[in-house]
């Protein structure tokens, strides 16, 4: 990876630029081969500084979730669902779950990444239930 690591504020830039293009990127270590999240100076597994941003298909399952009943400004109506998703690459990410009935959300439901503006208008990764509300096997 060309090293913006000298400027810590730039580490996450590729992640957000990819989200604007509708692509989910994850850090993957070139030393141990494992994915991690979020971009940081060193691999969270082996502490190597040799890693790159790589594409993810964005498939996963709900590890945990909460239903938020208080709106966050006028652009995000309540109730809405915030999920922690375990991606197929083995990392967990937190994001909003789009267009889901809060009463129908459950642990282990399959989800797929999607991209939408956040409450500040910046496009970020979010998730939708995959194939309706089918649960993972």
């Amino acid at each position: 990876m060309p090293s913006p690591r000298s400027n810590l504020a730039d580490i996450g830039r590729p992640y957000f630029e990819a989200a604007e293009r509708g692509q989910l990127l994850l850090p993957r270590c070139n030393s141990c081969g494992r994915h991690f999240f979020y971009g940081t100076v060193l691999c969270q597994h082996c502490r190597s500084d040799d890693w790159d941003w790589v594409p993810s298909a964005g498939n996963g399952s709900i590890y945990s979730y909460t239903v938020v009943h208080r709106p966050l400004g006028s652009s995000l109506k309540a109730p809405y669902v915030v999920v922690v998703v375990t991606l197929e690459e083995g990392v967990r990410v937190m994001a909003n779950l789009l267009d889901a009935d809060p009463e129908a959300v459950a642990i282990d439901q399959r989800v797929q990444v999607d991209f939408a503006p956040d409450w500040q208008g910046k496009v970020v990764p979010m998730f939708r239930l995959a194939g309706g509300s089918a649960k993972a096997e």
Side-chain angles (χ1 to χ4, degrees), residues 116-131:
D118 67 7
W119 62 279
Q120 296 176 314
K122 185 174 191 172
V123 174
V124 296
M126 298 190 187
F127 289 87
R128 292 186 187 276
L129 294 176

Side-chain angles (χ1 to χ4, degrees), residues 4-14 16 38-39 41 53 122:
R5 293 185 180 98
S6 58
N7 181 352
L8 294 178
D10 288 338
I11 288 176
R13 184 170 301 183
F16 291 105
Y38 180 78
V41 176
W53 290 100
K122 185 174 191 172

Side-chain angles (χ1 to χ4, degrees), residues 19-111:
E20 288 283 341
R21 298 187 307 271
Q23 182 180 35
L24 179 62
L25 295 182
L26 296 175
R28 184 179 62 204
C29 180
N30 294 318
S31 294
C32 71
R34 295 175 69 183
H35 292 87
F36 56 95
F37 189 80
Y38 180 78
T40 184
V41 176
L42 301 175
C43 170
Q44 297 166 356
H45 305 289
C46 72
R47 305 295 184 239
S48 171
D49 67 351
D50 181 20
W51 59 269
D52 291 304
W53 290 100
V54 297
S56 168
N59 299 311
S61 61
I62 297 174
Y63 174 78
S64 182
Y65 71 95
T66 190
V67 178
V68 180
H69 294 277
R70 186 174 183 152
L72 181 62
S74 62
S75 64
L76 189 56
K77 306 292 184 218
Y80 60 95
V81 181
V82 177
V83 291
V84 176
V85 171
T86 303
L87 292 170
E88 290 175 346
E89 292 86 357
V91 298
R92 291 192 179 128
V93 298
M94 186 176 353
N96 286 7
L97 185 64
L98 299 170
D99 301 327
D101 174 3
E103 297 294 319
V105 177
I107 301 298
D108 292 331
Q109 280 180 303
R110 298 291 298 167
V111 292

